[in-house]
Amino acid sequence: MPIPLVNSIASWFLKKRIHQMELFLKYPHDVQLELLHKLIQKARNTEIGKQYGFKDIRSYADFAEQVPVRNYEGVQELIERGRKGENNIFWPSPVKLFAQSSGTTNAKSKYIPVSPESLEDCHYAASKDLLCVYLNNNPDSKLFTGKSLRLGGSKRLYESNGTSYGDLSAILIDNMPFWAEFSSTPGNEVSLMSDWEVKMQAIVQETIEEKVTSLAGVPSWMLVLLNNILETTGKNQLMEIWPDLEVYFHGGVSFEPYRQQYHKLFPNPNFKYYEIYNASEGFFALQDQNDSNDLLLMLDYGIFYEFIPMNQYGLAGEKIIPLSEVEVGKNYAIVITTNSGLWRYKVGDTVRFTSVNPYRIRVSGRTKHHINAFGEELIIENAEMALKKATALTQSEIIDYTAAPIFMIDKEKGAHEWFIEFKVEPKDKDQFNRIFDVALQEINSDYEAKRKNNMTLNPPTIHYARTNLFYDWLKSKNKLGGQHKIPRLSNTREFVDELLTLNTSSYHH
């Protein structure tokens, strides 16, 4: 199909969609309240609807008063019943699909319901919106002259009791409209291979012959794939293999630690990066401007948003606020109500608003993944800004990192213990350590106060991890590929102690 035709079809879709987007940009609170009303109406005769008196809910205040906020443990029992084939528990449409998300630890898998409405009106709608917004911002794009190289963590779906479960990318691939499969590489057969290392080679072989115009996947694993492709082809940069490559759609983990390495792989100054924020629970936000780090919160995908200020999170009287009450610059935990039957559900992510007209966010971390052993409230966003500064000033490059507290024993002060695996190590490690510590203090005043004159915290202990340490650690837990991530910051020493053992062992893959 000739490009002008494809782009004009896309722009026709876009014009229709832009009107709807303008509605939620202009009247965000009305759109959100109307959506909440529809969700409550639709689910009024479900088990949850009857239990919490949905038919009597007339306002947001009623909703907030009658329906409790829960985390996964609070809904696990209902979800398990749904997985065994029971219907109409938390959502009226039969829910046959469950996205298995393992989180970052050894923790048991979570199974997140994916309703037909969520698949269509949230996940697939978002994919279309992403393309439309991208084409609108880049009218000369030749995206549709080639294929999108997608890298999911997909394994085949498992079936039991008439329901299926697997990771979200497998569910999306399995139920994808035919036109989307036609424009993707590798094919479904390779995408759904379960052995990550075998799959990696199969993807390399299949995609180097294709005309690839875009990439989609998690930055950490995509980097492994792209380096494999360079190794196999003997090329120095990817434009030699795919001269028409123009954009990388990324999400799942922060892009900051990987940005420099991607710039080397794609030296073309016109190459675009577009960030998305999606999860098993839903597709929340997407980058709607070229060269921006801010993500537009999508308010009409069947998800109603509430927020908990992080300075109150987990406290007895924690306050939960609707979108209309958020403030720029503050850190919030997200609470969602969705068209998959999650009601006031804590996702576990934290975001910071960069704008409230329209509502734009940056993902700042996880509610569990921060270090607050000494009142320092260190979040992932702080860590990544400090690492960015330290690597830039020492010409080093990072592959992965994690950190945990060193607890005070007797009169010994506490500290933070870091494992950092470098692609290019700093020539002067002491200098790197100093810059990093000072940068953390500049970014986070609580950390600075605890570090002042080594009052509570000693300088950070930094281990320069051996090559492939994090890869081997994930492999030892059978967590290679896809959505599996290194836990960045932790309040316990579980991961760091395992890494200490593995770092000195002669573990080889």
Side-chain angles (χ1 to χ4, degrees), residues 377-434:
E377 266 308 337
L378 188 73
I379 63 171
I380 292 174
E381 193 178 35
N382 302 159
E384 312 229 299
M385 286 167 76
L387 285 169
K388 186 178 179 180
K389 185 167 186 181
T391 50
L393 291 174
T394 58
Q395 278 92 52
S396 51
E397 288 178 19
I398 283 181
I399 293 173
D400 254 317
Y401 72 90
T402 191
I406 298 173
F407 293 106
M408 298 172 172
I409 298 171
D410 301 328
K411 293 193 174 131
E412 190 57 45
K413 291 174 180 146
H416 291 169
E417 188 163 10
W418 295 79
F419 265 96
I420 306 176
E421 185 180 338
F422 287 87
K423 187 177 185 193
V424 179
E425 286 199 356
K427 288 190 177 63
D428 183 339
K429 291 181 178 177
D430 291 338
Q431 182 199 21
F432 177 92
N433 297 3
R434 268 196 315 278

Side-chain angles (χ1 to χ4, degrees), residues 303-340:
I303 300 172
F304 178 77
Y305 293 98
E306 295 173 274
F307 301 89
I308 304 171
M310 273 311 280
N311 58 6
Q312 301 180 17
Y313 188 84
L315 303 178
E318 68 180 10
K319 192 177 177 213
I320 295 152
I321 58 173
L323 185 64
S324 55
E325 291 177 33
V326 300
E327 294 172 45
V328 167
K330 287 199 171 169
N331 214 19
Y332 296 99
I334 306 183
V335 176
I336 56 171
T337 291
T338 75
N339 53 4
S340 267

Side-chain angles (χ1 to χ4, degrees), residues 439-457:
L440 280 176
Q441 294 180 50
E442 287 167 354
I443 291 159
N444 181 325
S445 55
D446 293 325
Y447 178 80
E448 182 186 32
K450 304 296 180 290
R451 279 284 296 115
K452 192 167 182 167
N453 302 326
N454 299 347
M455 194 169 63
T456 312
L457 287 176

Side-chain angles (χ1 to χ4, degrees), residues 66-130:
Q66 287 173 224
V67 183
V69 173
R70 298 179 180 188
N71 57 12
Y72 186 74
E73 288 63 39
V75 294
Q76 191 169 4
E77 206 179 305
L78 297 176
I79 287 175
E80 281 309 310
R81 284 173 51 202
R83 283 185 61 214
K84 289 181 179 142
E86 273 191 67
N87 284 326
N88 208 36
I89 304 171
F90 39 80
W91 191 244
S93 312
V95 177
K96 301 285 186 203
L97 298 167
F98 292 84
Q100 183 180 21
S101 86
S102 58
T104 29
T105 64
N106 285 343
K108 290 272 184 286
S109 289
K110 293 179 178 177
Y111 295 93
I112 305 296
V114 181
S115 68
E117 291 88 342
S118 159
L119 211 51
E120 209 48 58
D121 304 337
C122 182
H123 293 291
Y124 290 139
S127 305
K128 285 183 242 175
D129 280 357
L130 183 63

Side-chain angles (χ1 to χ4, degrees), residues 179-345:
W179 55 266
E181 188 185 336
F182 179 68
S183 59
S184 305
T185 184
N188 287 4
E189 195 168 326
V190 170
S191 286
L192 296 172
M193 281 181 172
S194 55
D195 184 321
W196 171 253
E197 289 170 332
V198 174
K199 172 158 97 176
M200 196 49 108
Q201 280 317 306
I203 294 176
V204 172
Q205 294 309 325
E206 186 170 330
T207 55
I208 52 179
E209 301 302 324
E210 293 280 10
K211 181 179 179 180
V212 173
T213 52
S214 68
L215 305 172
V218 176
S220 47
W221 295 114
M222 184 60 82
L223 204 52
V224 174
L225 173 66
L226 297 178
N227 284 322
N228 259 329
I229 284 172
L230 289 179
E231 215 172 291
T232 305
T233 56
K235 304 285 191 210
N236 294 319
Q237 46 115 331
L238 288 150
M239 299 322 237
E240 296 174 46
I241 303 163
W242 299 310
D244 302 296
L245 195 56
E246 59 179 74
V247 60
Y248 171 29
F249 299 107
H250 61 86
V253 298
S254 166
F255 193 54
E256 278 317 312
Y258 306 103
R259 194 177 289 279
Q260 282 311 104
Q261 294 177 63
Y262 275 95
H263 285 323
K264 280 188 182 166
L265 292 174
F266 304 111
N268 179 351
N270 299 322
F271 189 81
K272 301 279 188 295
Y273 298 90
Y274 262 65
E275 188 175 348
I276 60 173
Y277 174 24
N278 68 333
S280 303
E281 292 87 354
F283 199 116
F284 306 135
L286 54 86
Q287 182 181 324
D288 65 320
Q289 303 159 303
N290 284 339
D291 308 316
S292 166
N293 291 326
D294 298 345
L295 307 181
L296 182 69
L297 193 63
M298 303 303 280
L299 304 179
D300 62 353
Y301 285 171
I303 300 172
F304 178 77
Y305 293 98
E306 295 173 274
F307 301 89
I308 304 171
M310 273 311 280
N311 58 6
Q312 301 180 17
Y313 188 84
L315 303 178
E318 68 180 10
K319 192 177 177 213
I320 295 152
I321 58 173
L323 185 64
S324 55
E325 291 177 33
V326 300
E327 294 172 45
V328 167
K330 287 199 171 169
N331 214 19
Y332 296 99
I334 306 183
V335 176
I336 56 171
T337 291
T338 75
N339 53 4
S340 267
L342 295 173
W343 299 95
R344 304 196 87 199
Y345 177 83

